[in-house]
Amino acid sequence: MTRRSFVTSAAATAAAARMAQAAPYQPAPANLKAREWFQDAKFGLFIHWGVYSVLGRGEWVMNNEKIPITEYETLPPRFNPVKFDAAAWVGLAKAAGQKYITITSKHHDGFAMWGTKQNKWNIVDATPYGKDVLKPLAEECRRQGVHLFFYHSHLDWHHPDYYPRGRTGLYSGRPESGDFNRYLDFMDAQLTELLTGYGDVAGIWFDGHWDKKDANWRLRQTYDLIHKLQPHALVGNNHHLPPFEGEDFQMFEKDLPGQNTTGFSDESKIGALPLETCDTINVAWGYNSNDKRFKSTRNLIHYLAKAAGNNANFLLNIGPKPDGTIQDEFVTRLKDIGSWLSKNGESIYGTRGGPITPRPWGVTTQKGRTVYVHVLDWPDPMLLIPRLPKPAKSAKTLDGGQPVKTQLVDGGMLVHLPQRPAGDWNTVIAVETA
Ligand code: H79
């Protein structure tokens, strides 16, 4: 081979490799519109529900307690959620002021909460309940005007073709063999069912990629399939990494964008896509009967405001009980947040992060010419904030409409705060600017 022909063939190989790479993802107009809707919606209900709920020790119980598949398979016969009421669940989300629901279609245990035709490891074939729960939920969401996302685990502790295995699910007792591409075909077939049998799906929320960070997940192929079936569907992936090509939003788990209190958000640099952060009301995602560490309503409202002030949505989780009911501690908190939103929602819905970046005392959001100052933690009657980009014309409290005096001073703008009742959740000052 001459030198020249070597160079030519190397260049040809490189060109072929480039051709083989997927073209840059071009979101459809419907997808771009859905992203705007998503950012305006701001607040969603996360639901972790599966056969693990029976044990009441969270959704990681199979992995954490090293339960082999043979034993774990005794759970579906005990899962009979006769009190499941889709209308009540969607009604609760609405009462909380939530605009969308993201529910586990399949968590890491691989169990499908709908009547998948791809295997028998699903609610229709393996439980005494024998009914698809995603279908009535999808119908009820449509009826009540709530958008529906599916949380879908990449990781699977039950499927024999999830092989080679990753960092988790190592005690399931599966044979040490399997065909990962066949597993991915299975997953794409399941996703096709979800995207063709349940009406409009707002998006797919992936999780578990981190189990095998370096595997070839064929992400782009799966993302393209989703966008082909429903162009508006928003794809997000909780891989704790910066967004990959083909994704439509970026999420953070138990951390505000840019924070890393969990220890696994360090590589999730904030990208250009719409943002979402998710968190729990107590600690666990799936039902955990011993978990009494409930966050206060105040804390949750603050988190919602902080998410909005960081230009992100808040997806707040509940883990319903195995009988289909939702524990009171969750219901009361959700309703209290809804009551705060009924008076202060203007400072959350349809807003974007405000002109003043998040501060120890609180955050700002904005919509049009209005800047919303969320006073989360400030005991004194005066608050000094940086000058706004445009001069303030007037200011008032959002709840009650009490006029609020603002005053330009050296070093910023003084806000004369109204008297706030003890235990006040979040006093919002709406500042009209020129
Ligand atoms: O569905 C909920 C949880 O079950 C799931 N995501 C939320 C939305 C979740 N899975 N794992 N985690 C949450 C915690 C993640 C821990 C990790 Fe790791 C640290 C992943 C990678 C580093 C655990 C430890 C898995 C591998 C090492």
Side-chain angles (χ1 to χ4, degrees):
M1 189 164 38
T2 65
R3 188 158 192 276
R4 191 178 158 75
S5 73
F6 169 76
V7 170
T8 311
S9 73
T13 311
R18 271 198 302 276
M19 296 276 287
Q21 270 174 16
Y25 167 52
Q26 292 288 347
N31 190 282
L32 296 173
K33 220 175 122 205
R35 293 182 189 189
E36 286 293 313
W37 163 82
F38 181 68
Q39 288 185 290
D40 289 345
K42 277 291 174 297
F43 190 29
L45 178 66
F46 212 173
I47 303 179
H48 276 70
W49 200 40
V51 291
Y52 43 79
S53 312
V54 168
L55 295 177
R57 297 197 292 274
E59 77 291 354
W60 269 65
V61 64
M62 179 178 176
N63 178 80
N64 294 352
E65 299 183 15
K66 303 186 178 169
I67 303 175
I69 283 175
T70 45
E71 196 183 323
Y72 199 82
E73 283 183 345
T74 64
L75 293 182
R78 295 160 60 191
F79 186 72
N80 193 14
V82 289
K83 294 188 182 156
F84 168 64
D85 179 349
W89 284 21
V90 179
L92 177 62
K94 287 205 80 158
Q98 293 163 317
K99 307 292 188 192
Y100 59 99
I101 291 177
T102 305
I103 187 166
T104 46
S105 45
K106 180 190 98 158
H107 204 266
H108 306 332
D109 64 1
F111 192 82
M113 295 298 277
W114 79 101
T116 181
K117 297 283 177 283
Q118 307 309 318
N119 63 13
K120 300 283 181 210
W121 188 232
N122 71 74
I123 190 164
V124 175
D125 291 313
T127 74
Y129 189 66
K131 284 180 284 190
D132 185 327
V133 288
L134 301 186
K135 201 142 255 172
L137 194 70
E139 277 161 17
E140 204 50 56
C141 280
R142 203 156 26 252
R143 198 166 299 137
Q144 299 195 41
V146 170
H147 293 231
L148 184 63
F149 290 71
F150 293 125
Y151 167 111
H152 207 76
S153 175
H154 276 308
L155 160 62
D156 196 311
W157 294 329
H158 185 272
H159 199 286
D161 282 320
Y162 189 85
Y163 188 87
R165 272 182 266 298
R167 307 161 74 165
T168 66
L170 302 176
Y171 308 96
S172 58
R174 283 174 286 183
E176 293 305 319
S177 61
D179 179 344
F180 194 56
N181 274 312
R182 204 161 55 195
Y183 169 73
L184 294 175
D185 292 340
F186 156 82
M187 198 184 66
D188 287 349
Q190 283 204 326
L191 289 167
T192 301
E193 291 178 351
L194 291 170
L195 288 152
T196 52
Y198 295 81
D200 270 359
V201 174
I204 304 291
W205 205 108
F206 286 108
D207 198 3
H209 170 278
W210 40 258
D211 190 54
K212 302 211 296 177
K213 230 162 56 163
D214 300 321
N216 179 7
W217 285 95
R218 301 190 335 209
L219 288 183
R220 189 60 197 281
Q221 190 175 324
T222 299
Y223 295 170
D224 285 354
L225 170 71
I226 294 167
H227 289 136
K228 180 176 75 111
L229 294 171
Q230 298 210 20
H232 62 268
L234 301 178
V235 171
N237 195 328
N238 188 30
H239 40 49
H240 312 149
L241 298 167
F244 293 145
E245 192 73 17
E247 294 172 5
D248 303 305
F249 67 106
Q250 180 180 10
M251 73 271 276
F252 300 81
E253 176 176 334
K254 294 198 179 218
D255 260 321
L256 291 166
Q259 289 192 341
N260 182 22
T261 61
T262 56
F264 50 73
S265 305
D266 56 329
E267 291 178 81
S268 343
K269 305 233 171 342
I270 303 172
L273 298 175
L275 307 174
E276 181 190 70
T277 174
C278 56
D279 210 338
T280 49
I281 293 183
N282 43 1
V283 179
W285 298 94
Y287 178 59
N288 188 326
S289 53
N290 283 324
D291 182 355
K292 305 288 184 204
R293 286 184 279 168
F294 301 105
K295 297 175 183 77
S296 64
T297 299
R298 180 170 193 269
N299 179 318
L300 295 168
I301 289 172
H302 283 197
Y303 207 79
L304 174 62
K306 285 181 192 172
N310 278 276
N311 208 29
N313 287 16
F314 183 29
L315 182 62
L316 177 58
N317 182 74
I318 57 168
K321 292 185 184 179
D323 66 359
T325 60
I326 297 167
Q327 63 192 83
D328 287 346
E329 293 91 342
F330 294 161
V331 173
T332 53
R333 282 164 180 77
L334 288 171
K335 289 189 172 163
D336 284 347
I337 299 170
S339 113
W340 180 82
L341 275 167
S342 68
K343 295 177 186 135
N344 297 279
E346 189 192 316
S347 68
I348 301 287
Y349 304 123
T351 65
R352 298 293 182 271
I356 302 172
T357 54
R359 290 290 190 271
W361 52 259
V363 294
T364 59
T365 54
Q366 64 186 335
K367 185 163 40 184
R369 293 181 179 184
T370 311
V371 174
Y372 300 96
V373 181
H374 297 252
V375 184
L376 303 179
D377 223 339
W378 193 254
D380 300 326
M382 301 268 224
L383 173 65
L384 179 65
I385 67 174
R387 285 188 188 210
L388 301 176
K390 300 253 173 70
K393 291 199 321 200
S394 66
K396 62 175 171 55
T397 60
L398 210 47
D399 179 4
Q402 198 181 327
V404 170
K405 194 175 155 198
T406 62
Q407 190 182 0
L408 287 182
V409 293
D410 275 353
M413 185 169 89
L414 261 188
V415 184
H416 297 240
L417 297 173
Q419 270 239 305
R420 283 151 293 154
D424 169 56
W425 285 328
N426 170 7
T427 297
V428 183
I429 316 286
V431 184
E432 293 305 317
T433 67

